[in-house]
């Protein structure tokens, strides 16, 4: 190799070290591939209802319920009607203390779906659907075909115990074992016999509807129903985060429940 070739190679090496390479090379080095779009859809055999959704107010049948329950006032039986009347009176007097949300406890079902304003993330995988909201226990809806335990063996949770299946383009659920807490912001009670069915239907790319039906042979004279509409939540800065709630004077977490 000649001395001229040696000198040329040294100059090229020095230029590279100093970032003086050619414009095309610099452009190629600076190019950064766009990150892949996040997806919560992990079950290609299922209808896609995944994503991050936020509840919206939509026109519907006239109802005095902020969660859209019909009929309303609720068709309560005996002692359950008395419990609700007492809670309504306490709310009017400003001394109601049995709303779990105001005590920094999970809203539970069905308020997880019908009464919360915060984003709801739905993740689909084979055999299971998971739903997440900040500050609440994750919902798990099992799709693997197993049945719920017998009533005497069913443990109660704020979100209940849920199984489901797909019907065409819809996710249909069966929820039982819901903890004894109000089903809405007004304090409507229920018994241990409460069952909740849901039907999730993606209307289009940006719209999801959820039909919720409550049946309780001990507490309700007839089923109660609500249909909730969600829209896709597109805030790129949103992500699941820790939520710590500490009850204190003049603390009003109910602003997140309408």
């Amino acid at each position: 190799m000649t001395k001229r070739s040696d000198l040329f190679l040294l100059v090229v090496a020095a230029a590279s070290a100093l970032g003086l390479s050619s414009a095309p090379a610099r452009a190629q080095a600076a190019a950064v591939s766009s990150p892949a779009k996040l997806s919560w859809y992990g079950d290609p055999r299922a209808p896609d209802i995944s994503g991050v959704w936020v509840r919206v107010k939509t026109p519907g049948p006239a109802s005095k319920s902020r969660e859209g329950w019909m009929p309303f006032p609720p068709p309560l039986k005996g002692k359950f009607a008395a419990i609700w009347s007492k809670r309504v009176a306490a709310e009017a007097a400003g001394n109601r203390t049995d709303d779990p949300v105001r005590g920094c406890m999970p809203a539970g079902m069905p308020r997880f779906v019908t009464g919360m304003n915060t984003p709801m993330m739905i993740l689909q995988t084979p055999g299971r659907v998971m739903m997440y909201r900040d500050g609440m226990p994750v919902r798990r809806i099992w799709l693997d075909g197993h049945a719920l335990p017998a009533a005497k063996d069913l443990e109660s949770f704020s979100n209940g115990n849920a199984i489901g299946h797909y019907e065409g383009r819809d996710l249909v659920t069966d929820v039982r074992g819901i903890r004894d807490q109000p089903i809405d912001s007004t304090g409507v009670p229920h018994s241990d016999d409460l069952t909740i069915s849901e039907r999730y239907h993606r209307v289009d790319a940006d719209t999801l509807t959820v039909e919720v039906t409550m049946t309780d042979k001990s507490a309700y004279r007839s089923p109660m129903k609500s249909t909730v509409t969600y829209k896709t939540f597109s805030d790129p800065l949103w992500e699941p985060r820790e939520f710590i709630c500490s009850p204190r004077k003049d603390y009003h977490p109910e602003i997140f429940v309408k």
Side-chain angles (χ1 to χ4, degrees):
M1 184 177 290
T2 65
K3 291 183 178 180
R4 181 174 295 179
S5 298
D6 291 344
L7 179 60
F8 175 77
L9 292 174
L10 287 172
V11 170
V12 171
S16 298
L18 293 173
L20 301 177
S21 55
S22 64
R26 290 198 304 273
Q28 183 177 0
V32 178
S33 60
S34 299
K37 184 179 179 180
L38 290 175
S39 174
W40 315 114
Y41 182 49
D43 187 0
R45 297 175 299 177
D48 185 5
I49 60 169
S50 67
V52 181
W53 303 90
V54 63
R55 187 172 68 95
V56 297
K57 292 183 179 179
T58 54
S63 174
K64 296 181 180 180
S65 166
R66 287 183 289 181
E67 289 88 352
W69 290 109
M70 295 287 287
F72 204 89
L76 297 169
K77 295 180 178 181
K79 69 175 183 180
F80 297 97
I83 291 171
W84 186 59
S85 295
K86 183 177 180 181
R87 288 173 176 173
V88 171
E91 179 70 26
N95 57 13
R96 185 179 164 206
T97 60
D98 60 7
D99 187 344
V101 174
R102 300 184 190 186
C104 290
M105 298 297 289
M109 282 293 291
R111 292 171 78 180
F112 186 103
V113 173
T114 59
M116 306 307 295
N117 296 333
T118 56
M120 176 175 71
M121 183 169 64
I122 300 179
L123 301 90
Q124 290 175 269
T125 56
R128 181 172 64 177
V129 172
M130 298 180 67
M131 299 182 183
Y132 169 88
R133 285 188 187 273
D134 287 340
M136 298 188 188
V138 174
R139 287 194 66 197
R140 296 172 178 84
I141 301 169
W142 298 98
L143 312 176
D144 56 3
H146 78 263
L148 290 171
K152 64 181 180 61
D153 300 322
L154 196 61
E155 188 173 356
S156 295
F157 299 99
S158 60
N159 286 335
N161 305 266
I163 57 175
H165 62 278
Y166 293 109
E167 290 185 3
R169 297 183 55 80
D170 297 350
L171 170 65
V172 178
T173 75
D174 179 8
V175 188
R176 301 170 188 248
I178 298 111
R179 184 174 295 163
D180 182 14
Q181 57 190 38
I183 61 92
D184 75 338
S185 57
T186 71
V188 174
H190 66 85
S191 77
D192 291 341
D193 292 323
L194 176 65
T195 64
I196 299 174
S197 63
E198 305 164 281
R199 180 176 290 270
Y200 292 79
H201 176 74
R202 192 165 193 161
V203 178
D204 53 42
D206 299 318
T207 310
L208 179 74
T209 61
V210 189
E211 297 177 5
V212 185
T213 302
M214 296 190 300
T215 303
D216 189 329
K217 63 183 181 181
S218 297
Y220 307 156
R221 294 192 304 273
S222 62
M224 295 181 65
K225 299 183 179 182
S226 176
T227 299
V228 190
T229 300
Y230 282 82
K231 291 290 185 179
T232 52
F233 188 66
S234 57
D235 183 353
L237 299 180
W238 183 87
E239 62 181 14
R241 63 187 185 277
E242 183 177 15
F243 181 88
I244 299 176
C245 177
S246 299
R248 62 180 185 275
K249 185 178 179 181
D250 296 325
Y251 177 68
H252 298 286
E254 68 272 17
I255 64 174
F256 297 103
V257 183
K258 293 185 179 180

